[in-house]
Structures are given as C-alpha cells and as structure tokens.
Short mmCIF file of all heavy atoms in Angstrom, two decimals:
data_model
loop_
_atom_site.label_atom_id
_atom_site.label_comp_id
_atom_site.label_asym_id
_atom_site.label_seq_id
_atom_site.Cartn_x
_atom_site.Cartn_y
_atom_site.Cartn_z
N PRO R 1 19.34 3.79 17.98
CA PRO R 1 18.78 4.22 16.70
C PRO R 1 17.38 4.77 16.87
O PRO R 1 16.58 4.25 17.64
CB PRO R 1 18.77 2.93 15.87
CG PRO R 1 18.78 1.82 16.86
CD PRO R 1 19.56 2.33 18.03
N THR R 2 17.02 5.83 16.16
CA THR R 2 15.69 6.45 16.22
C THR R 2 14.75 5.73 15.27
O THR R 2 15.15 4.90 14.46
CB THR R 2 15.78 7.93 15.83
OG1 THR R 2 16.34 8.02 14.53
CG2 THR R 2 16.70 8.68 16.81
N ARG R 3 13.46 6.10 15.32
CA ARG R 3 12.44 5.43 14.54
C ARG R 3 12.69 5.57 13.05
O ARG R 3 12.57 4.61 12.29
CB ARG R 3 11.05 6.01 14.89
CG ARG R 3 9.91 5.40 14.12
CD ARG R 3 8.60 6.05 14.54
NE ARG R 3 7.48 5.45 13.82
CZ ARG R 3 6.83 4.37 14.21
NH1 ARG R 3 7.19 3.74 15.32
NH2 ARG R 3 5.81 3.89 13.52
N HIS R 4 13.06 6.75 12.63
CA HIS R 4 13.23 6.97 11.20
C HIS R 4 14.49 6.31 10.67
O HIS R 4 14.68 6.20 9.47
CB HIS R 4 13.26 8.48 10.89
CG HIS R 4 14.51 9.14 11.40
ND1 HIS R 4 14.61 9.61 12.69
CD2 HIS R 4 15.69 9.38 10.78
CE1 HIS R 4 15.82 10.14 12.85
NE2 HIS R 4 16.50 10.00 11.70
N GLN R 5 15.37 5.83 11.59
CA GLN R 5 16.58 5.19 11.14
C GLN R 5 16.38 3.70 10.86
O GLN R 5 17.23 3.06 10.27
CB GLN R 5 17.69 5.37 12.18
CG GLN R 5 18.21 6.80 12.26
CD GLN R 5 19.22 6.94 13.36
OE1 GLN R 5 19.01 6.42 14.45
NE2 GLN R 5 20.30 7.65 13.08
N HIS R 6 15.24 3.11 11.36
CA HIS R 6 14.99 1.68 11.13
C HIS R 6 14.63 1.45 9.66
O HIS R 6 13.96 2.25 9.05
CB HIS R 6 13.82 1.20 12.00
CG HIS R 6 14.24 1.02 13.43
ND1 HIS R 6 14.96 -0.06 13.86
CD2 HIS R 6 14.02 1.79 14.52
CE1 HIS R 6 15.16 0.04 15.16
NE2 HIS R 6 14.61 1.17 15.58
N PRO R 7 15.03 0.32 9.09
CA PRO R 7 14.59 0.00 7.72
C PRO R 7 13.10 -0.28 7.70
O PRO R 7 12.56 -0.96 8.57
CB PRO R 7 15.40 -1.27 7.40
CG PRO R 7 15.76 -1.85 8.72
CD PRO R 7 15.92 -0.70 9.65
N GLN R 8 12.43 0.29 6.74
CA GLN R 8 10.99 0.18 6.70
C GLN R 8 10.60 -1.05 5.87
O GLN R 8 11.11 -1.27 4.77
CB GLN R 8 10.41 1.44 6.07
CG GLN R 8 10.86 2.68 6.83
CD GLN R 8 9.79 3.74 6.81
OE1 GLN R 8 8.74 3.54 6.24
NE2 GLN R 8 10.07 4.86 7.43
N VAL R 9 9.68 -1.84 6.46
CA VAL R 9 9.22 -3.05 5.77
C VAL R 9 8.35 -2.69 4.58
O VAL R 9 8.54 -3.18 3.48
CB VAL R 9 8.43 -3.95 6.74
CG1 VAL R 9 7.90 -5.18 6.03
CG2 VAL R 9 9.32 -4.32 7.91
N PHE R 10 7.40 -1.74 4.79
CA PHE R 10 6.55 -1.30 3.69
C PHE R 10 5.94 0.03 4.06
O PHE R 10 5.35 0.16 5.12
CB PHE R 10 5.44 -2.34 3.44
CG PHE R 10 4.57 -1.97 2.26
CD1 PHE R 10 5.00 -2.22 0.97
CD2 PHE R 10 3.34 -1.35 2.45
CE1 PHE R 10 4.21 -1.88 -0.11
CE2 PHE R 10 2.57 -1.02 1.36
CZ PHE R 10 2.99 -1.29 0.07
N THR R 11 6.13 1.02 3.24
CA THR R 11 5.58 2.34 3.55
C THR R 11 4.72 2.89 2.43
O THR R 11 4.19 3.97 2.54
CB THR R 11 6.73 3.32 3.80
OG1 THR R 11 7.58 3.36 2.66
CG2 THR R 11 7.55 2.92 5.02
N GLY R 12 4.58 2.16 1.35
CA GLY R 12 3.81 2.65 0.22
C GLY R 12 2.31 2.42 0.37
O GLY R 12 1.84 1.91 1.37
N GLU R 13 1.54 2.75 -0.64
CA GLU R 13 0.09 2.57 -0.63
C GLU R 13 -0.27 1.43 -1.58
O GLU R 13 0.27 1.32 -2.68
CB GLU R 13 -0.60 3.85 -1.08
CG GLU R 13 -0.38 5.00 -0.11
CD GLU R 13 -1.08 6.25 -0.59
OE1 GLU R 13 -1.52 6.26 -1.75
OE2 GLU R 13 -1.19 7.21 0.20
N MET R 14 -1.17 0.58 -1.13
CA MET R 14 -1.60 -0.55 -1.97
C MET R 14 -3.01 -0.29 -2.51
O MET R 14 -3.94 -0.13 -1.75
CB MET R 14 -1.62 -1.84 -1.13
CG MET R 14 -2.08 -3.05 -1.93
SD MET R 14 -2.10 -4.51 -0.92
CE MET R 14 -0.35 -4.74 -0.74
N PRO R 15 -3.15 -0.20 -3.81
CA PRO R 15 -4.50 0.04 -4.39
C PRO R 15 -5.35 -1.23 -4.33
O PRO R 15 -4.86 -2.32 -4.64
CB PRO R 15 -4.21 0.45 -5.83
CG PRO R 15 -2.90 -0.20 -6.14
CD PRO R 15 -2.14 -0.26 -4.88
N ILE R 16 -6.60 -1.11 -3.90
CA ILE R 16 -7.55 -2.23 -3.88
C ILE R 16 -8.76 -1.83 -4.73
O ILE R 16 -9.37 -0.80 -4.48
CB ILE R 16 -7.99 -2.54 -2.45
CG1 ILE R 16 -6.74 -2.93 -1.61
CG2 ILE R 16 -9.04 -3.65 -2.41
CD1 ILE R 16 -7.06 -3.23 -0.17
N TYR R 17 -9.12 -2.66 -5.68
CA TYR R 17 -10.21 -2.36 -6.62
C TYR R 17 -11.50 -3.02 -6.16
O TYR R 17 -11.51 -4.03 -5.47
CB TYR R 17 -9.85 -2.85 -8.02
CG TYR R 17 -8.63 -2.16 -8.58
CD1 TYR R 17 -7.37 -2.74 -8.42
CD2 TYR R 17 -8.75 -0.94 -9.23
CE1 TYR R 17 -6.25 -2.10 -8.90
CE2 TYR R 17 -7.63 -0.32 -9.72
CZ TYR R 17 -6.37 -0.89 -9.56
OH TYR R 17 -5.26 -0.27 -10.04
N ASN R 18 -12.63 -2.43 -6.62
CA ASN R 18 -13.95 -2.96 -6.30
C ASN R 18 -14.14 -4.27 -7.05
O ASN R 18 -14.11 -4.32 -8.27
CB ASN R 18 -15.00 -1.93 -6.73
CG ASN R 18 -16.38 -2.31 -6.17
OD1 ASN R 18 -16.67 -3.46 -5.84
ND2 ASN R 18 -17.25 -1.30 -6.08
N GLN R 19 -14.41 -5.35 -6.30
CA GLN R 19 -14.50 -6.67 -6.90
C GLN R 19 -15.86 -6.93 -7.56
O GLN R 19 -16.01 -7.88 -8.32
CB GLN R 19 -14.26 -7.73 -5.81
CG GLN R 19 -12.90 -7.60 -5.14
CD GLN R 19 -11.77 -7.85 -6.13
OE1 GLN R 19 -11.93 -8.66 -7.06
NE2 GLN R 19 -10.67 -7.13 -5.93
N ASP R 20 -16.91 -6.09 -7.24
CA ASP R 20 -18.25 -6.30 -7.80
C ASP R 20 -18.40 -5.75 -9.20
O ASP R 20 -19.40 -5.99 -9.86
CB ASP R 20 -19.31 -5.67 -6.89
CG ASP R 20 -19.32 -6.32 -5.52
OD1 ASP R 20 -18.95 -7.52 -5.43
OD2 ASP R 20 -19.66 -5.61 -4.55
N LYS R 21 -17.46 -4.98 -9.63
CA LYS R 21 -17.55 -4.36 -10.95
C LYS R 21 -16.47 -4.92 -11.84
O LYS R 21 -15.43 -5.38 -11.36
CB LYS R 21 -17.42 -2.85 -10.84
CG LYS R 21 -18.59 -2.19 -10.09
CD LYS R 21 -18.45 -0.70 -10.10
CE LYS R 21 -19.63 -0.03 -9.37
NZ LYS R 21 -19.52 1.42 -9.39
N PRO R 22 -16.74 -4.90 -13.11
CA PRO R 22 -15.70 -5.37 -14.03
C PRO R 22 -14.45 -4.52 -13.90
O PRO R 22 -14.50 -3.39 -13.44
CB PRO R 22 -16.33 -5.20 -15.42
CG PRO R 22 -17.79 -5.03 -15.18
CD PRO R 22 -17.97 -4.50 -13.82
N ASP R 23 -13.40 -5.12 -14.24
CA ASP R 23 -12.12 -4.39 -14.15
C ASP R 23 -12.14 -3.25 -15.14
O ASP R 23 -12.11 -3.46 -16.35
CB ASP R 23 -10.97 -5.34 -14.48
CG ASP R 23 -9.64 -4.71 -14.12
OD1 ASP R 23 -9.61 -3.48 -13.87
OD2 ASP R 23 -8.63 -5.44 -14.09
N GLN R 24 -12.31 -2.04 -14.62
CA GLN R 24 -12.46 -0.88 -15.46
C GLN R 24 -11.17 -0.52 -16.17
O GLN R 24 -11.17 0.29 -17.08
CB GLN R 24 -12.94 0.31 -14.62
CG GLN R 24 -14.32 0.07 -13.99
CD GLN R 24 -14.76 1.25 -13.16
OE1 GLN R 24 -14.08 2.26 -13.13
NE2 GLN R 24 -15.93 1.13 -12.52
N ARG R 25 -10.07 -1.14 -15.72
CA ARG R 25 -8.83 -0.82 -16.39
C ARG R 25 -8.80 -1.38 -17.81
O ARG R 25 -8.13 -0.87 -18.68
CB ARG R 25 -7.64 -1.42 -15.61
CG ARG R 25 -7.42 -0.74 -14.26
CD ARG R 25 -6.35 -1.46 -13.50
NE ARG R 25 -6.78 -2.85 -13.26
CZ ARG R 25 -5.98 -3.75 -12.66
NH1 ARG R 25 -4.75 -3.43 -12.31
NH2 ARG R 25 -6.43 -4.98 -12.45
#
C-alpha cells in the first residue's frame, strides 16, 4: 500500500486562540 492509501489519523487544522485576551467570539 502507498502513503496516500493509509487511513489518516488526523489531517485537518486545529484552531488555537490567544489565551491572554478575552474570547472575542
């Protein structure tokens, strides 16, 4: 099996927010 054929554990992007500021959301 080639690399792209393996099941991927995690390929997305994880957003990390600035902890020193209030949650702007």
